[in-house]
Each structure stands twice: as structure tokens, then as C-alpha cells.
Amino acid sequence: MPARNEPQVYARRLRAVLINSIPVLEARGIVIVILAGLVGVISGALVTGMSDLVQSMHWLLFDVQPGGRLSAMFSLANPVQAMFPAIGGLLLGLSVIWLRKRKFRTPVDPIEANALYGGRMSLTDTFIIVAQTMVSSGFGASVGLEAGYTQIGSGIASRLARAFRLRRNDGRILVGCGAAGAIAAAFDAPLTGAFYGFELVIGIYSVANVAPVMTAAISASLTAEVFGGVPFPLELSGLPTLTASQYVPFLLLGLLGGAASIAIMNLVSIIERLFARLAIDASVRPFIGGILVGLLGLVTPQVLSSGHGALHREFAMNYGLAVVASVFVMKLAASAISLGSGFRGGLFFASLFLGALLGKVFAGVMAMAAPSTGFDPAVAAVVGMTSLAVGVVGGPLTMTFLALESTRDLTLTGVVLAASIMSAILVRETFGYSFSTWRFHLRGETIRSAHDVGWMRSLTVGSMMRKDVRTIDASTTLAEFRKEIPLGSAQRVIAVEQGEHYTGVLLVAELHSDLSDGETPVKALAQFKDAVLVPSMNVQSAAETFQRAGAEELAVVEDFDDRIVLGLLTESHLMRRYAEELDKARRDLSGEG
């Protein structure tokens, strides 16, 4: 055998030995925890590397001092540097053209992968997203790196899951471990990372998930520390003791944060639509967006990149209400323009910074309206930071632990959790999406969380319908129908016109008891003439069609135009199959299968 194939041979042999000697690779157990630890180490190293590379880009392009942050600068060293976001947009546009020529599909992120594809992710997609995210943030666009972090962590985890042929649910857990490790490494916050994996990527917290996810988060955080990752903790001191009476305004701030998050998500969509209406190619839009972001950066660099330095600066200094409000508006505009014009990245850290600014604005207003309340601006900033981020990112426990691990102050935990829950309830009841799932909704997907609904796509009408359906010509008279189809010989018959085109459903018992004239054509007595199913419909769409029609059985046609009859599906059979598959999915999740 040629020498160049020896590594592949050894890899195959190793995998065969492991799979044959350790059966739990196909289930759960200690091996999943070991793989999770490995995923955490890899995630921690890659996250630190990505952060260092982007920091190097900021040093090279914007003259940021070692250890400094772009958004912490008071002004750009040279006005020419305001053009760098546009240059980054130009590079991103070139990548769009390159991908379009090679007909790359829309990349799949960890939430979508776990919801629809059993955790299967493409490493090619992963590296594309990571590269585009680093270019976007490195050249100063107002986006965070967290989307790239979770993509690389989860993408590597998905590849490992396929390499060891893990079951669908084990693969989903490992993808969650990758995301958990990435967030834990980015914020030096293992609990935050773990609950990010639970709430946002796996979609459920269970005893079976705790060990691998926590292992990944802790190992990633430790790895980031070994490689010199910059910790996130906020230095807050002298915080006042919170009283029960102060909870009410903080709950109000939580609702305000939720409302602001809905407005932000809608604003991004509006700007995206405005760019789409411009008579320019999509590859040019990031360049135009970069010009606008650069102009805002001339006013204050706090709007550039993710905003880590600006957030720490906001907690360290006490700016006036007008200044804080103006930075909030400019950062909001910069982030919305960046994402709406096509820069790659997310709103994770931007939502934290915007929330902190919102909290300080709220505290300033409260100080003027009711100075006796003693509303502390630092506490308000933390509560605003988490409540707005909950609305955008999702995961109230994730954000609560982020506040706890970043401030190291237990006194804040109760009020932060309460405000986060208020924000989450408001967003769920009035909007129904986080930023990630909202973007899926705009693409036509019906994903609201990372819960595994991929099996629903394979449970189609075509796989459930009966093909031995009885048909009759729609022009047949009622008397002829009764002779041809005696009572008890069938429950229902499909009325068709020339060429097997669907006309309606005929209920045999009803036609035999009908008092109409015997010469009446059965077409006049057919039901559900406008309600049909097509083979590609999944179980959810079919159930909605049954509900709208109020029918117990519907015909399946080839397409909605020609309506050539292929079969029949009853609602009872549909719901029975759905219940069976749902029960199977639950058993897989709980480890009973």
C-alpha cells in the first residue's frame, strides 16, 4: 500500500477498534464525555486563535495598542481608517461572488443543524462562516465574533460525531458541547457556555446532557486561559443592597429590554429589505454598509467591531445621559447596517453592549423622575445588558449566569433572573423568535428553537398516504353511484374528471342517504373540493390543512395545478404516525431507545 495512505488506514483501524471494543460509542456514557472534553479543548484553542487574529487585524489596521480594544478608543488615529469597514465589505462582496459561482448553498448554523439535520454540519460551511466573520469584525464592522466561535466549535464537534458514527441524538449533544465550549472560552464563563448549549443549541436541559456539556465548557474555559485568552469579567464594586421595592422598576427595565430587542430585530430586517430594494448586486451591499459604518466610527469608535472595549469603558466611566443615549443610537444603527448590508456576524455582544447602555439611560431617567428610589446605574446596566440580550439571543438562564460569572456578585442574580424572565416572556408572547430563529423565519423556515424537528420532514404525506384509493367519474349520477358502490363496500370514494383530475371526496354513507334526485351528478355532492394534499407536505403542514378544511380524510394529488389523484390520507392515520414518531424521538432523547 502506498505510504501516503497509511494515516487513513491507521484512522480506520483505530475507529474500528474503538467501535468494536467500546459499544457505548453508539450510545452514551464515558466516551461521550471524553469526546466532549476533546471538543472543549479544540473549541477553546480555536476561539482564542480567532480572537487573537482579529485583535492583530485591529492592531494592523487601526493602530490599537497591545492589550487594547478597538471600541475602547476615544477616536480613530487617522480619519482614513474610517474606510476600512468599506474595504472589508468589498472583500466580503468578492467572497459572495466566488461562492455564487461555485453554487454554495446557505450555510447551516448549529441551531438549524440540531433542529433539522440531527447535528450534521459541513466543515466547508463552517470555515466559510468563520472566515467571513473574522473579515467583518477585523475590518471594523459592528458585528461580534460569537457566531463564528459557535460555528467552529459545533462544526468540529459534528465532524467528530460523524467520524465515530454516533447516534443522531448523541451527535446533537456533541454539537451543543461545541457551542458551549466556544461561548465558555469567549467569556471565561463555563456555566454561561453550558447553558448556552442547553437552551439554544440542544434545546433541552436533561440529566443525560449535564456531564458532556459541562465537561466541554470547563475544558474550553481552561484551554482559553492556558492560551492567554482575555477574560470578560466586569469589575463592579460598592454595589448597593437591593430591596424588594426596587424589583418593580427592574422588572420594568426587563420588559423595556424585551421590547427593545424586538425593535432591534425588526430594524435589522427593515434595513436588509431596504438594501435589497436598491438596484445593486448583493455583493456590493457590504461595501455601501461599510462606508456608513465607517462614518459612524469617525464620530466614535465605540460603534466599531463587537464592542468589548466599549462595554468595559461604559462600566468604568460615568457619562452623561445625552452621551449614553447618543452612543446607544449610533451603535444600534451601526449593528443594523452591518448585518442588513450583508456583513457576517451576530448580535450577541452587540446586544450586551446595547443593553448596558439602555440600562444606564433608564437609570438616568429614573434619577430625574424619582431620585428617591436610589436606582444604581451599574446595577441598571447589568440588568439592561442581560434583559436585552435575552430577547435577541434567547436563554434567560444563559444570560443570568453570564451576569453572575462576569460580575462575581450574587446579589445581582435574583433581579437579573427576574428581569430576564420578563424579557423572555414578552418576546415569546408578542414576537416568538430570537434573532437566529427570526432569520430562519425570514428564509421560510419554521424553526423556533433547537428542538429536533428534522424527523418531521421525512414524515411526509407521500410516505403515509394510501395508494389503493377508489375513484369514480364526477359526472356519474347518484342512482348509478348507488348501484356501482353499494353501502358498506367502501367508506369514501374520490370523484375525478377526465384524466383523473380531482373533483372532491364522496362519503358513501351520505350519498346513500341523500334525498336528491337520482339523476343528480355526484360532483354536486362532493366535499372538500378546494382542500387537497401533495406528497411533499410534511406532517405539520398536512395537519394544518386538515384543521382548516375540517375534514377527516383528504385526497393526495400530484400538484396543486393539475390535481391528478395519487392517493388518500386520513387524519387519524396522520396523527397516529405523528404520535409514534414523536414518542420515538422522545425515547431517543431520554436514552430509552
Side-chain angles (χ1 to χ4, degrees):
M1 181 176 292
R4 66 176 183 272
N5 290 332
E6 288 182 3
Q8 298 178 7
V9 173
Y10 293 148
R12 286 196 296 268
R13 288 176 180 173
L14 174 61
R15 186 172 63 184
V17 169
L18 287 172
I19 291 175
N20 291 332
S21 61
I22 311 176
V24 294
L25 275 174
E26 298 179 0
R28 289 170 174 80
I30 190 62
V31 176
I32 302 300
V33 176
I34 293 172
L35 287 176
L38 177 60
V39 166
V41 171
I42 296 173
S43 297
L46 291 174
V47 164
T48 305
M50 288 175 61
S51 177
D52 289 345
L53 283 174
V54 170
Q55 284 296 101
S56 298
M57 293 174 69
H58 290 168
W59 168 77
L60 182 65
L61 300 175
F62 296 97
D63 297 326
V64 176
Q65 296 301 311
R69 292 280 187 171
L70 173 59
S71 60
M73 297 172 65
F74 288 94
S75 63
L76 294 177
N78 190 326
V80 176
Q81 294 171 339
M83 287 301 297
F84 284 126
I87 296 173
L90 186 62
L91 293 175
L92 204 64
L94 292 175
S95 73
V96 170
I97 295 174
W98 183 80
L99 293 172
R100 185 188 299 159
K101 286 183 178 180
R102 282 154 181 79
K103 298 181 180 180
F104 275 92
R105 61 179 177 80
T106 302
V108 173
D109 81 348
I111 295 176
E112 186 179 8
N114 265 9
L116 298 178
Y117 306 113
R120 296 182 66 87
M121 298 173 65
S122 164
L123 276 183
T124 302
D125 288 356
T126 292
F127 292 133
I128 289 172
I129 288 179
V130 168
Q132 290 181 333
T133 303
M134 292 176 64
V135 168
S136 299
S137 186
F139 278 83
S142 189
V143 295
L145 286 168
E146 289 75 23
Y149 292 159
T150 55
Q151 187 75 27
I152 191 69
S154 296
I156 294 296
S158 177
R159 187 65 189 87
L160 279 174
R162 292 201 305 276
F164 286 96
R165 296 186 290 181
L166 299 184
R167 296 191 319 180
R168 179 185 180 94
N169 192 57
D170 295 328
R172 294 180 71 254
I173 291 174
L174 208 60
V175 167
C177 290
I183 294 300
F187 292 94
D188 190 23
L191 288 174
T192 301
F195 276 86
Y196 183 93
F198 291 137
E199 293 185 298
L200 300 174
V201 181
I202 299 175
I204 190 172
Y205 173 88
S206 69
V207 174
N209 299 343
V210 173
V213 174
M214 285 301 303
T215 299
I218 293 171
S219 60
S221 183
L222 292 174
T223 302
E225 290 182 10
V226 169
F227 283 98
V230 179
F232 176 71
L234 303 171
E235 299 297 333
L236 301 179
S237 59
L239 294 180
T241 302
L242 299 176
T243 63
S245 62
Q246 290 177 317
Y247 269 61
V248 175
F250 281 123
L251 293 178
L252 178 61
L253 177 56
L255 292 173
L256 185 61
S261 68
I262 295 173
I264 290 169
M265 289 185 280
N266 278 308
L267 178 61
V268 172
S269 300
I270 290 170
I271 291 180
E272 195 171 42
R273 288 197 296 270
L274 290 176
F275 271 103
R277 290 178 182 175
L278 296 177
I280 57 175
D281 190 78
S283 60
V284 184
R285 295 170 195 167
F287 175 73
I288 296 174
I291 293 175
L292 298 175
V293 171
L295 292 175
L296 290 171
L298 276 177
V299 180
T300 173
Q302 290 187 73
V303 305
L304 299 178
S305 196
S306 59
H308 281 73
L311 179 63
H312 284 271
R313 181 173 144 189
E314 199 61 45
F315 277 99
M317 305 182 74
N318 189 21
Y319 293 105
L321 178 60
V323 174
V324 175
S326 63
V327 173
F328 176 87
V329 172
M330 286 189 289
K331 178 63 176 179
L332 173 58
S335 295
I337 291 170
S338 296
L339 291 171
S341 63
F343 279 98
R344 177 72 71 177
L347 280 176
F348 191 115
F349 206 92
S351 65
L352 294 174
F353 181 38
L354 288 169
L357 294 172
L358 179 67
K360 282 209 166 185
V361 169
F362 185 79
V365 172
M366 288 291 294
M368 292 188 295
S372 60
T373 56
F375 210 67
D376 186 86
V379 176
V382 174
V383 174
M385 177 181 79
T386 53
S387 59
L388 193 148
V390 163
V392 172
V393 179
L397 289 176
T398 300
M399 294 305 161
T400 300
F401 280 116
L402 178 60
L404 174 62
E405 292 182 293
S406 59
T407 64
R408 308 288 198 261
D409 194 315
L410 282 171
T411 61
L412 287 177
T413 305
V415 68
V416 165
L417 179 59
S420 297
I421 290 174
M422 295 300 291
S423 174
I425 291 174
L426 177 67
V427 174
R428 184 185 64 204
E429 297 299 327
T430 61
F431 192 66
Y433 299 92
S434 66
F435 181 67
S436 296
T437 54
W438 173 237
R439 306 284 281 179
F440 298 144
H441 168 74
L442 295 178
R443 279 168 31 197
E445 296 285 1
T446 56
I447 306 171
R448 290 181 181 268
S449 71
H451 285 285
D452 190 5
V453 296
W455 57 269
M456 293 176 63
R457 292 196 166 187
S458 61
L459 193 61
T460 62
V461 167
S463 66
M464 294 183 288
M465 70 178 186
R466 285 176 45 200
K467 296 181 180 179
D468 58 339
V469 60
R470 191 167 183 178
T471 61
I472 193 169
D473 193 287
S475 61
T476 303
T477 65
L478 184 58
E480 292 171 341
F481 176 88
R482 288 169 177 168
K483 290 180 181 178
E484 185 174 342
I485 305 177
L487 188 64
S489 62
Q491 291 183 332
R492 61 193 70 80
V493 178
I494 303 299
V496 295
E497 294 178 324
Q498 186 177 6
E500 296 296 312
H501 295 286
Y502 173 78
T503 300
V505 177
L506 303 171
L507 301 181
V508 176
E510 291 188 11
L511 265 65
H512 274 272
S513 61
D514 193 278
L515 300 178
S516 300
D517 183 86
E519 297 303 314
T520 301
V522 293
K523 179 179 181 179
L525 303 175
Q527 300 183 28
F528 316 123
K529 297 179 180 180
D530 298 321
V532 291
L533 305 171
V534 293
S536 60
M537 277 184 171
N538 64 29
V539 63
Q540 184 178 8
S541 300
E544 291 172 354
T545 304
F546 274 110
Q547 186 176 12
R548 286 195 302 269
E552 294 181 0
E553 54 275 311
L554 288 174
V556 182
V557 299
E558 188 171 323
D559 56 60
F560 290 114
D561 295 325
D562 293 335
R563 309 216 302 180
I564 297 176
V565 175
L566 300 177
L568 185 81
L569 181 64
T570 64
E571 185 181 29
S572 59
H573 181 65
L574 171 87
M575 299 311 294
R576 183 169 62 252
R577 287 293 310 278
Y578 172 78
E580 290 172 355
E581 293 296 327
L582 182 61
D583 184 58
K584 179 182 176 183
R586 286 173 174 167
R587 288 199 308 271
D588 288 342
L589 192 62
S590 63
E592 296 174 8

